[in-house]
Every structure is written in structure tokens, then in C-alpha cells.
Amino acid sequence: MNKPNSIFLGAISAACFATTSLAALPPELEQIQFYNSELTPSPDCLYAHPNVDIFVGVDMCGSLGKGPGKGRIVRLRETNNDGVADEHTIFATLDNPRGLIAVGNKVYVIYTIWKDEKTFGAMHLGVLEDKNKDGKADGPPKILVSDISCKAHNQSRGADHTTNGIRMGIDGWIYVAVGDYGMHEAQGTDGTKLTLLGGGIVRVRPDGSELEVYTRGLRNIYDVAIDPFMNIYTRGNTNDGGGWNVRFIHNIQSAKYGYPMLFKNFTDEIIPALADLGGGSGTGAMFFQEPGWPEKYNNVPLMGDWGRSQVFILRLKPDGPTFTQEQEDYIGLTQFTDFVSDASGRLYLSAWAGAGFKGSAEKGHVVRIVPKGWQYQPAPRFAELADDALVNLLTSPSATIRLHTQQEILNRNACIGSAVLAIAADSTASAESRVAAIFTYAQLLGEKATSDLASLANDASVREFALRAVTDRKPHSANTPLQPLLAGLGDENPRVQVAAAVGLGRITPSVETAKSLVKNAVPPAVITIDNSAIPHDPKRARDCGCPKCHQGGPHDIPNSAIVFPHVIVQSLVNLNAIDECLSAIDGPGQNGALWALRRMHDPKTVDGLIAKLGNTSDAELKNKILTALARLY
């Protein structure tokens, strides 16, 4: 659990910690206590299975407590639609359940193993199965990713600042929120090992393969919100010494967000947050898109805060390849932890309700919220549907239904693929449905989908997602056509440009790829304020975001102009394009090339830069090269 800073804690009254009241709601909504602390004290995480089961991860260690025997996953079921759970089973007993996903007969969970009160074994991503559908896991979790945290920090502190929430995107990956303690030698089922210093997002396939970093440089995130277009949002802390506030971040694949090394002194090399939102402690996050809800509460990222006992709506406006945001209060709930929507459109929230930092066996609950006058519509029985009826559910306005439809399609024969592809190509279908179909088709056919996905890149309305899908799985990218990606670098849509730049860094390296990338690696103009180099975009004038045009700190002011060159640099580093970057020092891509070379820790880089230094009389260039060499050193 992300612990609020001491200054902010002083503003939380004792009464707030003692209360067990339900949520403070907008007048258009109503609530009921779904279950109390008898079975679900100190609830950390939630997930709704489409068969109406609600899984609750109970962690009576809280944020700073330790020891075994204080965690479990409870399966709750409401049989008469009165808003109160009337059946339950203890689905599994395990330590520190921190994130849940339930699909089919599987429940994915982040959990720990405590050997005793002092000895922490490990933290894992595992999967539980209930093949006989008795509401109890058939056995202990099968480990998909082992050691998905830093054991030494967990031993000293407990589960605070560690690996927490998990969400499944419509691209089929499981996205994992990693706190600032990072992970050391995490290992997936295919033998892939990964170390992440500091916080970020990692992702893995549902079978535990292809473990990889998605973004870096985050601090103490607890969960991720994923929208239907694969935009990912987090609510984490600022850097230690940077106010220890909350940063709201739009996470762009491959990007770095500053913590801890670039945060204050090299802010021209990061993608900044969209806002510094003041003190608090981010917890559960989700993107909400369900029919039957008031428009103003729908199609929005919802971000929770334990310290503020509040759920916020983030109002987003497109800004090139990213967004700007405005935060507004939504639902007040004491020590809020998590939320989830089910396939009928009901929203469930969990709260510690006064359990404090070390958890409690007597406090905490789950509430169910719906709009006033809301009419219950049973969720589809996905497994019982004929193929054509199932595929048609990809056009549902419900994000929850589309995701579970996709998962059921993936359980069936690939002959469904042609019907899925037809939705992807249908210009009359909603954008959300077409994106869901594109990623479903990519997963269903694997490498065989490459040609059709590349053809979809000819359609400007889905080009971004076709390019993402065709490069999404590195093992499937051997035959990825280069031309659509190279063309994407010059697309009029900045989101397509970014998708192309990221994708080019994920496929087999080529000289043509590296040259095209470095040619576009042109950072925005930079100004210096208070000894910090701040990107400045004169085209945006007063809305630029840099301190010259707008008040704020350099690490938390939206700067869409930096996104494209930033991800290009990441791709150049991934491709180890040393020769191409050294050559570009003599051309218009000089600044981007030097930026990338600062990240390439290779003797060839150092030798090449020293050679360039000896062959130029340009004082400004000499200074840039010396800066790059100093950074490498």
C-alpha cells in the first residue's frame, strides 16, 4: 500500500480513521454494503468474474504489517440481485493478495509467501484454477512470474511500496504495477529474467511468457487504469525530496518518467507527468466504460486515493499523442483500496474503513454502487454462445463485456478469425470495437495475422492500433513488414507516429530502420530555468507547459512535444544503433543522436564520441559531446 506522507496524514482526522460509514456519492448514484468485515476485513483488491462472482483479496497485514496466515481470497456471490452477497467460499488462503484478475476458470493473483513473522520468502504472480466450479481453488497457485519484487525490502518493511495491482488490457497482456522497490531477477515461465530498479509497469502474457518492461521511472504506483485504446494511467508519488506528492501519468510504451535518476536534474530526457496533484496515496485505478451510467461518470479513468479517502475522475483532453487533465472529486470512501465493474455494469468498491497501516480483522468492507433507477441486465453466458453471437459481442458498448468476449474467443478454434477480422475492418463499428477486434485477431492467429494487420494499417482510423498489434509480440515479429512502420513516422496523426516509433524498436534491427528513426529524433527547443533544461514548444505559446509559459515543476507539466523524440530515442537504444547515431551527429538529428548515445554504454560509443570530439572545431558541439561522455562516465 502506498503510504501517505506525514504532512498529509496530519490532515486526516481520527474520526476519519474510526468511521465505518459507506461512500459519499453524487446524487445520481446509490449504494449498498455488499459485504462487511466478517469475511472481508482489510480488503486490498477486487475482481468481478462475468458469472457474477466477486473475488476479494483480503490482507490483514495491511501496508506495514508482516507475517503469514493473514491473507485470503474470498469469493462472494449475490443470487437474488438485492445488492448484498448471500453466498461465499474461501477461494484460496495465501499471504498478501495484492492484485486479482478472474477470467474463465482462472484467477490470477499477486501474492507473497511468509515463512514466519520475520522471514519473507518471495512475491509471485500466480494463477489459481477452479475446474470443478465449486468456488474453491483446486490447489496452490501455479507460479507464472517468480520473485516479482525485491525480497530484501519486503523483509524489512512488509508489502508497502511493493508489487501490487494487475489489469488485463484488450491486447491480452497482464499489466503489473511495480512500486519503487522494483524487482530483482523476476523470472517468467519461459526463463526470461527481469530486474527493474525503481518503479514502473511490467507486462507478461497470461501463460507467464514474454515478461518485459512497459514503462520505467515511476514511484510507488499501486494499480494501472487501461482504456479501450490501450492508454494506461497511473497515480504515484513524486520523487523523494520533490514534495512527495501524487503524480498523474499517461504511460506511453517504452517511456521513462524520471524516478529516481532523471527526475530533477535531467528533466529534458523524461516524459513528464500530466499533473502534480498534491499530497495523497494512490491505490486502485481503472477505466470505466459501461452502458446505463450517466454520461458524466462514464468513459473516464477513475483513480483512487487511500490517504484522501477519495475516488477521482480525471477529465482528459487530447494533446498530440498524449493528454492534458483536470481532476475532480467523485466518490468519498474511507481508506479506499480498489474497484471493479462487472459485466452487468455494477461498480464495486473496497475500503479498509479505519484498518490503518497494519490492517485489521474487524474493519473494512465492500460496497456496490449503481445509478438510481438502474435496471439489472444479466451478463452474457459467454461459454454457452454460438460463435457468431459471441463474436458480435465485441461490438458491445461495455468494456467489461468486450474483454471477456475476447477471452472466450481465444478459447475457441481460430476459424472464428474471419468474423473477428470483419469487425476490425468495419468502418461503421465503434472505434472501441474495432480495436478490440484487432487485438483479438492478433492473439487468435499469432504470426499468421501479420499480413492482415499490416493491411489494416492502410485505414487511417485504425492505423495506430494495427501498427501496435503487428509489433506487439516480439516472438511473432520476424515477418513484420517494415514499410507501414517507416511510413508511420511521417503520419499526420501524432499517435500513429509514436506507435510506429515504438514498434520499430521491437522488431529485427536494420540500417534503414535506424536511419529513419535518428532522422526523426529531433527534440523540441530547450530553455533553461532555475538550472533545469525544459523543453519549450513555441507553437503552443501560453499552453506550452514549460515554466516560461506556464507555472509548475518540470517533471509534472504536460509536454506533448517531447513524446515522439523520446520514444524514438528509446527505440534507438533498444536497437543499439551506435553507428547510425554517430553518423547523425553531423546532421539535423544531432541532438537526438547524442541523447541516444548517452544511453548506449558500449566502448564503441565512447571511442566514436572521442573521435568526433577530436575532429570538430565547433565549440557548441564539443560541449555537447563532452556532456554525453560525462553522462556515460
Side-chain angles (χ1 to χ4, degrees), residues 111 213 218 228 338 401 501:
Y111 69 104
V213 176
L218 308 178
D338 201 9
I401 287 178

Side-chain angles (χ1 to χ4, degrees), residues 556-583:
D556 53 40
I557 301 171
N559 182 29
S560 61
I562 200 69
V563 174
F564 185 43
H566 181 98
V567 297
I568 286 178
V569 166
Q570 303 304 107
S571 289
L572 287 168
V573 174
N574 291 341
L575 299 174
N576 199 35
I578 297 173
D579 289 333
E580 291 77 14
C581 288
L582 287 170
S583 297

Side-chain angles (χ1 to χ4, degrees), residues 559-633:
N559 182 29
S560 61
I562 200 69
V563 174
F564 185 43
H566 181 98
V567 297
I568 286 178
V569 166
Q570 303 304 107
S571 289
L572 287 168
V573 174
N574 291 341
L575 299 174
N576 199 35
I578 297 173
D579 289 333
E580 291 77 14
C581 288
L582 287 170
S583 297
I585 290 175
D586 301 319
Q590 180 185 100
N591 289 337
L594 285 166
W595 179 1
L597 287 165
R598 292 198 294 262
R599 302 263 317 283
M600 298 180 187
H601 292 265
D602 187 298
K604 186 177 180 181
T605 304
V606 177
D607 292 342
L609 286 171
I610 291 174
K612 290 285 184 182
L613 186 65
N615 291 329
T616 182
S617 58
D618 184 331
E620 183 179 1
L621 178 56
K622 282 183 178 238
N623 185 56
K624 291 177 181 178
I625 294 173
L626 286 169
T627 299
L629 287 166
R631 288 294 305 281
L632 285 165
Y633 179 77

Side-chain angles (χ1 to χ4, degrees), residues 388-601:
D388 56 348
L390 177 66
V391 171
N392 189 55
L393 283 177
L394 287 175
T395 64
S396 169
S398 162
T400 305
I401 287 178
R402 292 195 303 273
L403 178 63
H404 288 287
T405 297
Q406 178 191 78
Q407 293 302 302
E408 178 58 29
I409 289 172
L410 297 178
N411 287 332
R412 301 192 184 186
N413 193 291
C415 66
I416 306 176
S418 58
V420 174
L421 183 61
I423 294 175
D426 184 359
S427 61
T428 67
S430 71
E432 292 91 339
S433 298
R434 297 185 70 185
V435 171
I438 285 171
F439 284 112
T440 304
Y441 188 72
Q443 295 174 76
L444 193 62
L445 272 75
E447 196 167 355
K448 295 179 180 178
T450 298
S451 177
D452 290 323
L453 292 172
S455 295
L456 282 172
N458 293 322
D459 184 338
S461 57
V462 293
R463 183 172 297 139
E464 170 193 350
F465 309 102
L467 294 182
R468 283 190 67 154
V470 82
T471 58
D472 198 41
R473 305 278 301 278
K474 289 183 179 179
H476 297 170
S477 64
N479 298 318
T480 300
L482 196 57
Q483 193 52 44
L485 291 160
L486 295 176
L489 294 175
D491 198 273
E492 62 182 15
N493 182 343
R495 291 181 62 95
V496 171
Q497 294 174 7
V498 170
V502 172
L504 286 167
R506 297 180 58 79
I507 62 176
T508 304
S510 73
V511 172
E512 185 180 7
T513 297
K515 286 183 176 179
S516 295
L517 285 168
V518 78
K519 183 175 69 174
N520 287 278
V522 181
V526 170
I527 61 173
T528 300
I529 293 186
D530 296 332
N531 297 318
S532 294
I534 313 299
H536 168 63
D537 183 2
K539 294 180 181 177
R540 296 180 61 193
R542 292 169 60 187
D543 295 324
C544 163
C546 78
K548 179 179 178 181
C549 306
H550 187 79
Q551 294 299 312
H555 62 86
D556 53 40
I557 301 171
N559 182 29
S560 61
I562 200 69
V563 174
F564 185 43
H566 181 98
V567 297
I568 286 178
V569 166
Q570 303 304 107
S571 289
L572 287 168
V573 174
N574 291 341
L575 299 174
N576 199 35
I578 297 173
D579 289 333
E580 291 77 14
C581 288
L582 287 170
S583 297
I585 290 175
D586 301 319
Q590 180 185 100
N591 289 337
L594 285 166
W595 179 1
L597 287 165
R598 292 198 294 262
R599 302 263 317 283
M600 298 180 187
H601 292 265

Side-chain angles (χ1 to χ4, degrees), residues 1 15 27 34 68 139 148 196 213 228 248-249 326 370 539 595 610 633:
M1 181 69 61
F34 189 68
I148 196 166
L196 177 64
V213 176
F248 177 63
I249 288 176
E326 293 291 337
V370 295
K539 294 180 181 177
W595 179 1
I610 291 174
Y633 179 77

